[in-house]
Amino acid sequence: MTDKELVIQLREELRQHNHNYYVLDNPTISDFDFDMKLKQLQILEAQHPELYDPNSPTLRVGGEVTKNFQTVVHAHRMYSLDNSYSKDDLLDWETRIKKLVDGPIRYTCELKYDGASISITYKNGTLFQALTRGDGTQGDDVTANIKTIKSVPLKLRGDYPDNFEIRGEIILPFEGFEAMNKERISAGEEPYKNPRNTASGSLKLQDSSEVAKRPLECLLYSIVGENTGIKSQFDNLEKARSWGFKVPKEAKCVQSIDEVLQFVEYWDLARHNLPYETDGIVIKVNDLQQQAELGYTAKAPRWAMAYKFKAAQVSTKLNHISYQVGRTGAITPVANLEPVELAGTIVKRASLHNADQIAKLDVRLGDTVFVEKGGEIIPKIMGIDLSKRPEQSQPTVYISQCPECHNPLFRTEGEAQHYCINTEGCPPQIIGRIQHYISRKALDIEGLGGETVALLVNAGLIKDVADLYTLNIDDVLPLERMAQKSAENLIYGIEASKQIPFERVLFGLGIRYVGETVAKTLAKHFKSVGALSQARIEDLEAVDEIGIKIAESVYHFFRNENNIRLVSRLVSYGVQLELSKEALANQTTLLSGERIVVSGVFEAISRNELKALIEANGGKVVSSISAKTTYLVAGTNMGPSKRQKAEQLKIPILTEQEFLEKF
Ligand code: AMP
Ligand code: ZN
């Protein structure tokens, strides 16, 4: 086989595997084999620049940077949809359209996906251009970003038309959204508010490799084109699916408005079990000939109607507003409510976000408020029932002092949050930082929990993480519920944390924007806290994956005297603030490209040590089993479902011994 033939074959194969994995949710090869094939293709492509193909599977990782998105006029306008909110609205719509077309009308009912609309043009079976909706007549060219979304086919299969547009919604499933937020929170950043805004914000990121990292999906719902030869909306969906697009299977073709109502009623409840947000149902006249007869109003098609679900909402009384102080000093106001049931759970608290939000709502103590549960986990206050406002109520005055340490609060221009800047003297900040330091992904100190940290701080025994290393058994014994055995465990756990590798200590320091991954990158690159603390902003920025925000944050952290003192005390107590000799010597590529799941309890080596060993040898530790997993290292007491899944996908299972023999 010539190199050219091999390249073509590899592209074909990888495309099929992408399709199986991202569109059909049914992978058929291991992650390792996939990566090997991808690597092989990358090498061949590098040797043969003449075989360049903008739609090659190797280009999924992005990399193209767009400074200004080009505005492009839509070949076919992107209309909005008329909304309905009740059965009567739908019956009225049916009466209206029955006057305009002959014959019986069938309907296709679809879920209304809540994300950002996109229109993608395909020419001769390859992705040509992707545009945002914009104002409906013209949108922005976001092709480079859309190409990184794995469920969007770059090349089509089957009997597709030469030239057509397909429309869909870019969404972020709840699971991926929550994973993204977990990372942000662990890096000390504000979590994203909801999946929809995050999805639509993603389309406008300048660096497409950033988009590639986000677990976005594209769900398709309509084909637009001159001569597609398709006769109905339902066929549209089936065709699109056969060409390789992700088209949800929930859509249904029905004979009457009564059946439409049944569909609506069913999904009003069942939507809560979907992996992504839906805000309604879209009902479309099925026959494309009838659609053409009905045509469009100035704003929307006459042949389609959205039915909007009512968000689950209740009213209840606001008892008081409390203010929480985070580990970074950020203040978050919280509404404490008279407990009330909402969509199956009891709600006692709602988020108020910040001072602006309180002012905008003009929410006051004693008010009866409307609480709603949307895409967010914490319910929101949507408005106030003014008819129930107590007579003497006064506007809420936002606090000007920290509720915990009474220092004045500050707010930087452009930031929504107030901050308490008394970093060294504010108890929740002190406690929060230590809790972060001992947390599982940082120093993971056994025998020490978040509550004990608070007890230790409140008893005046510690005020920073270095103080932990000065504690002895007699210090901690007088604490509430502290027996001899638990005191010993605690001190032993602190001692043992001196073996935790540099990158996790660095993460534990809680430098703003330095999450787990960034800490790893920095540790690998600078190798010691000394080198890191000397780095200039431009040195930091020159490191792969480190942007200006992180660079500035790290730089300023090490220009603060208190931080310098803290770090040098940690060094003097023997905490790992540089890569260990073994880590430096052991950095091998023995496991490079392998994705390994670790599960259960181990004997010769702790779970965290095992993970560190994998990473030091170039492997990747992944948390859940998929077809792309290379193998599973199983300790005792591994969950039966994990084993079952591994067996199902034929992922090799290694014992602790078998794994360690590799080294
Ligand atoms: P609206 O933004 O409320 O005018 O609703 C119209 C938008 O709903 C369209 O621009 C689409 O992005 C979106 N949408 C979501 N799911 C569907 C669907 N199944 N069919 C048509 N439009 C949909
Ligand atoms: Zn404070």
Side-chain angles (χ1 to χ4, degrees), residues 325 331 402-407 409 420-422 425-429:
V325 187
I331 307 289
C402 175
E404 305 278 343
C405 73
H406 311 293
N407 262 50
L409 297 181
C420 166
I421 58 163
N422 181 18
C426 183
Q429 294 186 54

Side-chain angles (χ1 to χ4, degrees), residues 220-291:
L220 284 311
Y221 53 71
S222 98
I223 296 169
V224 198
E226 256 56 78
N227 288 311
T228 59
I230 302 169
K231 301 226 156 29
S232 78
Q233 168 61 11
F234 199 75
D235 289 348
N236 254 332
L237 298 178
E238 300 216 302
K239 283 283 185 210
R241 198 177 289 127
S242 76
W243 301 334
F245 293 99
K246 187 153 193 165
V247 179
K249 294 258 167 72
E250 286 81 8
K252 197 172 166 188
C253 181
V254 303
Q255 313 279 349
S256 67
I257 277 285
D258 269 342
E259 281 182 71
V260 169
L261 290 169
Q262 281 168 26
F263 187 90
V264 164
E265 206 167 302
Y266 175 78
W267 284 106
D268 194 5
L269 260 185
R271 71 188 158 115
H272 295 295
N273 303 323
L274 289 166
Y276 46 79
E277 178 82 352
T278 47
D279 59 343
I281 298 293
V282 185
I283 304 123
K284 298 172 185 169
V285 168
N286 190 46
D287 186 307
L288 297 189
Q289 183 55 43
Q290 286 181 330
Q291 283 192 7

Side-chain angles (χ1 to χ4, degrees), residues 439-456:
S439 63
R440 211 168 44 81
K441 291 182 168 172
L443 281 282
D444 192 18
I445 298 187
E446 233 166 282
L448 182 57
E451 281 173 34
T452 312
V453 168
L455 286 177
L456 287 165

Side-chain angles (χ1 to χ4, degrees), residues 358-400:
I358 291 178
K360 199 170 114 202
L361 288 166
D362 182 24
V363 61
R364 306 178 182 193
L365 289 192
D367 268 345
T368 297
V369 296
F370 297 111
V371 184
E372 200 172 288
K373 217 168 196 172
E376 301 82 12
I377 294 99
I378 308 165
K380 258 202 316 224
I381 294 185
M382 300 306 292
I384 287 145
D385 187 347
L386 288 176
S387 71
K388 295 198 178 140
R389 173 165 277 179
E391 259 172 40
Q392 275 100 27
S393 92
Q394 294 292 321
T396 299
V397 181
Y398 202 77
I399 50 167
S400 56

